[in-house]
Amino acid sequence: MKRLAALAAACAVLVGGCGLEAGYKLPFEVSPGSIQPEPSLAGVSIRVGSKNFTEQILLSYIAEVALSAAGADIEDLTNIQGSPAVRQALEAGDIDLYWEYTGTSWINFQQETVPIPDEQQQYDAVKKADLERFGIAWLEYSPVNDKYALATTREFADEHGLKTMSDMVALLEKDPSLGSFCMESEFISRQDGLLGAEQKYGYDVPDGDIKTFGVGAIYATLATGRTCNFGEVFTTDGRILTLDLAVLEDDKKSFPQYNAAVTVRKEYLDRYPAIAEVMEPVSAKLNNEVILELSVKIDGEGQDPAVVARDWLVKEGFVTNPAD
């Protein structure tokens, strides 16, 4: 299938089209906790970016609140559309840091085709390659491992006995009429997305079976059971729980490891090494269960992601809330 043009088009997005001129400060103040004021960061303007889905926005607010407690002057540039655009913004110096995933960098930025199954080895390889090729430094990776997955409704999975992606392929080979998919354009064209899964499972999804949506719309659309039987999801997204979706096991391991880590230009980190001292203990405290719980507060309960980020940091003792 000729889908790579979609990725090329995404890469052509100009940084100015990402809304990067519209940065703003956090809507509240925080005080130090275990994160203490860092003289080298006092008054330093740090522009924090993110991609345009819940987990990314949440992680970026966690970074913003933590660095604010250390004394930095934060500029919020979250919600940039697409991995290529936010990465371009980092390389160009339009943002100073954002959270990236090891698998995304390995497949899309390093142009590797074979993922490394071990988390640590995948991180080590990405860290080395990104520094040597692009001057991008990776802080220590988090236990958060946000993999791609395909999901369906609990009712559809039970009706057809679906537990794995191999089960799905067997079903669709038997009854192609059931093959309707909701996906976003970036996933369709990525080697670590649909392209790689098709190769691993030996099944090409016909273009006519794919309906394209934004990431956020896929979950609600999939849950109705009317528009598509299968949809692209992230394994740490809280809507999997709130909508009771059934995630299909990637039994042939087509999707790479996606451990999250803060990425920053090396020259910027060399100027402000305290960024790592602030962020790495925070990163180590995060895991998939935490992200799922916090995502439910945002997507299920409608809470402000900045407030959710602050309250988690307060709970863990990293910062304190002056209002308390």
Side-chain angles (χ1 to χ4, degrees):
M1 291 179 293
K2 297 181 179 179
R3 298 186 181 126
L4 292 177
L7 181 57
C11 291
V13 174
L14 293 177
V15 172
C18 298
L20 296 185
E21 299 87 351
Y24 57 89
K25 298 181 184 299
L26 285 170
F28 48 74
E29 297 290 332
V30 293
S31 298
S34 61
I35 297 174
Q36 288 293 302
E38 170 53 55
S40 66
L41 294 179
V44 173
S45 177
I46 301 179
R47 295 162 297 176
V48 179
S50 83
K51 305 178 195 183
N52 61 331
F53 56 90
T54 298
E55 178 178 300
Q56 273 276 300
I57 294 170
L58 169 64
L59 287 171
S60 291
Y61 278 129
I62 287 174
E64 291 182 15
V65 175
L67 292 166
S68 177
D73 186 7
I74 300 301
E75 189 172 359
D76 175 29
L77 291 167
T78 54
N79 205 27
I80 301 170
Q81 184 172 359
S83 297
V86 70
R87 170 64 177 230
Q88 179 186 359
L90 179 66
E91 292 182 4
D94 292 302
I95 61 174
D96 299 314
L97 62 85
Y98 80 103
W99 295 76
E100 187 52 274
Y101 303 96
T102 53
T104 299
S105 178
W106 187 245
I107 301 294
N108 289 278
F109 306 145
Q110 313 305 327
Q111 296 295 301
E112 297 288 346
T113 58
V114 180
I116 299 173
D118 181 79
E119 287 186 7
Q120 183 68 51
Q121 292 176 8
Q122 179 67 92
Y123 165 78
D124 290 342
V126 164
K127 179 179 180 179
K128 182 175 184 292
D130 230 354
L131 187 61
E132 291 176 351
R133 295 186 60 196
F134 300 104
I136 301 298
W138 286 65
L139 305 191
E140 288 299 319
Y141 76 90
S142 168
V144 174
N145 193 348
D146 186 6
K147 292 185 176 183
Y148 277 127
L150 293 179
T152 184
T153 63
R154 185 74 55 188
E155 180 182 7
F156 189 87
D158 291 344
E159 178 184 354
H160 297 282
L162 302 180
K163 293 185 178 181
T164 68
M165 288 176 61
S166 290
D167 292 339
M168 178 194 73
V169 169
L171 174 67
L172 298 184
E173 287 176 340
K174 181 179 179 181
D175 187 354
S177 68
L178 296 176
S180 53
F181 292 80
C182 288
M183 299 175 176
E184 47 101 21
S185 59
E186 186 175 334
F187 176 80
I188 294 169
S189 60
R190 286 171 60 140
Q191 183 64 35
D192 60 339
L194 181 59
L195 289 176
E198 288 176 322
Q199 294 164 8
K200 196 77 168 182
Y201 287 90
Y203 182 81
D204 285 345
V205 179
D207 289 342
D209 289 352
I210 300 175
K211 299 173 178 62
T212 305
F213 289 85
V215 176
I218 291 175
Y219 294 84
T221 304
L222 179 61
T224 67
R226 294 191 296 269
T227 303
C228 50
N229 289 326
F230 304 97
E232 161 209 350
V233 298
F234 298 115
T235 54
T236 59
D237 195 297
R239 285 167 290 190
I240 291 172
L241 299 180
T242 59
L243 297 173
D244 193 27
L245 299 177
V247 177
L248 302 179
E249 178 191 349
D250 178 19
D251 52 307
K252 293 190 176 181
K253 304 292 187 281
S254 68
F255 299 129
Q257 302 292 342
Y258 287 97
N259 289 97
V262 173
T263 60
V264 56
R265 292 183 311 284
K266 182 180 183 300
E267 53 85 14
Y268 193 81
L269 186 61
D270 287 344
R271 273 190 283 156
Y272 305 112
I275 290 173
E277 297 171 18
V278 172
M279 289 307 307
E280 286 180 344
V282 174
S283 177
K285 270 286 189 179
L286 292 164
N287 57 44
N288 284 9
E289 290 72 27
V290 169
I291 291 296
L292 276 168
E293 177 186 340
L294 300 183
S295 295
V296 167
K297 294 180 183 294
I298 297 167
D299 292 320
E301 302 172 12
Q303 295 187 34
D304 186 325
V307 173
V308 171
R310 178 198 63 191
D311 290 349
W312 178 78
L313 287 163
V314 169
K315 176 185 174 185
E316 295 297 329
F318 288 112
V319 305
T320 54
N321 185 352
D324 296 335

